[in-house]
Amino acid sequence: MADKRDFYEALGISKSASDDEIKKAYRGLAKKFHPDVNPGNKRAEERFKEINEAYEILSDPEKKSRYDQFGHAGVDPNFGGGDPFGGGFGGFGGSADFDLGDILGSIFGGGGGGSSRNRNAPKKGDRVRTEVTITFEEAAFGCEKEVTVMRIESCDDCTGTGCKAGTTAEKCDNCNGSGSVTAQQRTPFGVMQSTTDCPKCAGRGKIIHQPCDKCRGLGLVRRNRAIKVTIPAGIDHGQTISVRAQGNAGVNGGEAGDLFVTVIVMKHEQFEREGTAVLLTIPITFVQAALGAELEVPTLDGKVKYSIPEGTQTGTIFRLRGKGIPNLRGNGRGDQYVTVKVMTPTGLKKDQRELLQKFGEAVGEPAENGKKKRGRKKEK
């Protein structure tokens, strides 16, 4: 379950995507990876199955809600969807605050025979995903952000035991605490042996007679938690940071899952980015281009001076070494590339126009008020 791809990631959408956005993303990907379009392509076939599975869950409001709360454990049929206790234990029924079937599916892998897994073995918690929005400069130089996530945590009142304070759980005498029982059946082919969940404790290995009031005996609760995340210098838009053990709580002493934070970088008013390079277009006047000039160029580190030579043409690119984005792995910075754009003067006054006309004549480009001279027609 922990290795299964996130459904939102599979469709290339955010967790806040609307129903229309989910449908649009699905249709586009389904058309791209349909087996009829990719005959014999096993990879496309697997991707098509993944897309359909993701859409089946996210297009159903009830399934989507369960998936958002508990991840794959809340919707995977291999992990059960109902109450494995069957309501047989007082105080364990469903409530407005808890979906017992969902949480138990996450904890115990659901009821149902045929499972040979050790129900009491440590299990790592499910991963949790969220997003964080940062500025262009924060992406370049790194920062610390606080994100709020809904995750499953160990219950504080019972410290995860599921028992009311002052009480303890009783080891199941039917399975001796293992959570599973072995049955043998004689067949014409010999004795067949199968392992199933213990029917008395529903595979838990213990029986709680007095469940905790807060968690209803589950040992786990859902809670919003603010978590500080360190954004490394050089992070790019759409990249994901993994924060270890900040996801859903593990079970039976298992490690907590990880938190995955996808970074959204806001656009900058002046700068653009290509890898570790920063791109900037800067306007210059006709006079500056013709005669050369010393410019003040904006960079991520502030303004720097740069001298352009006379005769600079529009579209010329010059480089500022080490003024780009720091490498994500920490070995140096990229460069900044500045493209100059010569601005044609407008709204000239009479004397300014005359000066330009004289200049044009001096360089062999005569013009009269910007218009070609019209000759008179000769009389016959």
Side-chain angles (χ1 to χ4, degrees):
M1 177 180 66
D3 295 329
K4 196 170 186 178
R5 192 177 185 186
D6 179 76
F7 287 148
Y8 290 99
E9 181 182 339
L11 293 182
I13 56 177
S14 68
K15 197 171 183 180
S16 59
S18 65
D19 292 342
D20 289 340
E21 289 172 330
I22 293 173
K23 184 181 294 184
K24 183 179 180 181
Y26 165 72
R27 287 178 175 176
L29 291 171
K31 183 178 180 181
K32 179 179 179 181
F33 292 101
H34 197 282
D36 291 345
V37 182
N38 304 274
N41 189 330
K42 293 294 183 182
R43 187 172 182 180
E45 183 179 342
E46 291 300 320
R47 186 79 172 92
F48 184 71
K49 291 179 181 178
E50 179 185 53
I51 294 163
N52 277 280
E53 181 184 11
Y55 182 67
E56 179 187 354
I57 299 302
L58 300 184
S59 62
D60 185 309
E62 182 180 350
K63 292 180 180 179
K64 181 176 182 293
S65 176
R66 293 172 60 180
Y67 178 72
D68 288 344
Q69 293 177 28
F70 304 109
H72 295 294
V75 295
D76 194 330
N78 294 322
F79 290 83
D83 182 352
F85 292 147
F89 293 81
F92 273 64
S95 70
D97 297 326
F98 284 82
D99 188 330
L100 185 61
D102 284 342
I103 298 181
L104 289 176
S106 177
I107 300 171
F108 306 112
S115 173
S116 60
R117 291 173 297 177
N118 183 357
R119 296 300 182 118
N120 293 319
K123 299 179 181 66
K124 185 174 181 177
D126 211 357
R127 65 182 61 172
V128 174
R129 290 184 176 273
T130 190
E131 295 178 349
V132 64
T133 301
I134 61 176
T135 66
F136 193 94
E137 289 84 357
E138 287 174 332
F141 299 117
C143 61
E144 188 174 77
K145 290 289 183 179
E146 188 174 85
V147 296
T148 301
V149 297
M150 174 72 78
R151 68 182 186 183
I152 299 174
E153 297 184 356
S154 178
C155 176
D156 295 332
D157 287 10
C158 67
T159 63
T161 65
C163 302
K164 183 177 288 188
T167 68
T168 58
E170 175 189 355
K171 183 170 72 172
C172 178
D173 57 4
N174 188 50
C175 65
N176 198 31
S178 68
S180 60
V181 293
T182 301
Q184 291 184 341
Q185 183 178 3
R186 190 175 298 278
T187 71
F189 303 100
V191 177
M192 303 294 292
Q193 181 173 292
S194 61
T195 302
T196 60
D197 295 340
C198 174
K200 186 173 183 178
C201 65
R204 301 187 71 182
K206 60 183 180 180
I207 299 173
I208 299 176
H209 296 289
Q210 298 184 58
C212 169
D213 294 330
K214 185 175 182 179
C215 67
R216 312 293 198 274
L218 300 176
L220 299 172
V221 293
R222 286 186 286 113
R223 182 181 290 118
N224 275 318
R225 183 70 69 182
I227 301 172
K228 288 185 177 180
V229 179
T230 300
I231 310 294
I235 195 78
D236 206 350
H237 178 79
Q239 290 184 320
T240 298
I241 301 168
S242 175
V243 186
R244 185 170 181 177
Q246 290 296 334
N248 289 334
V251 181
N252 298 330
E255 182 183 10
D258 298 330
L259 171 64
F260 288 81
V261 184
T262 299
V263 176
I264 307 299
V265 181
M266 294 186 291
K267 289 186 177 181
H268 197 277
E269 292 181 356
Q270 294 177 292
F271 302 125
E272 293 184 6
R273 175 177 177 176
E274 285 186 4
T276 59
V278 171
L279 310 180
L280 172 69
T281 298
I282 186 171
I284 61 174
T285 67
F286 171 76
V287 175
Q288 289 175 318
L291 302 180
E294 186 176 74
L295 307 178
E296 280 196 342
V297 181
T299 72
L300 291 172
D301 303 302
K303 291 184 177 180
V304 299
K305 292 183 177 180
Y306 187 88
S307 297
I308 58 172
E310 62 180 49
T312 296
Q313 302 297 309
T314 190
T316 299
I317 300 174
F318 58 85
R319 179 170 63 177
L320 300 178
R321 295 183 182 276
K323 293 297 182 181
I325 304 291
N327 192 296
L328 190 58
R329 296 184 178 181
N331 53 338
R333 290 176 63 173
D335 301 326
Q336 177 170 321
Y337 295 87
V338 182
T339 302
V340 295
K341 182 178 180 181
V342 180
M343 307 302 292
T344 303
T346 59
L348 296 175
K349 296 179 181 179
K350 183 179 179 180
D351 56 339
Q352 294 171 331
R353 187 183 299 275
E354 290 175 350
L355 287 173
L356 275 180
Q357 288 173 349
K358 291 180 180 179
F359 172 76
E361 292 172 356
V363 295
E365 297 178 1
E368 183 178 347
N369 294 329
K371 299 179 181 178
K372 293 182 179 179
K373 295 181 180 180
R374 295 181 180 179
R376 293 181 181 180
K377 294 182 180 180
K378 294 183 179 180
E379 295 181 0
K380 293 182 180 179

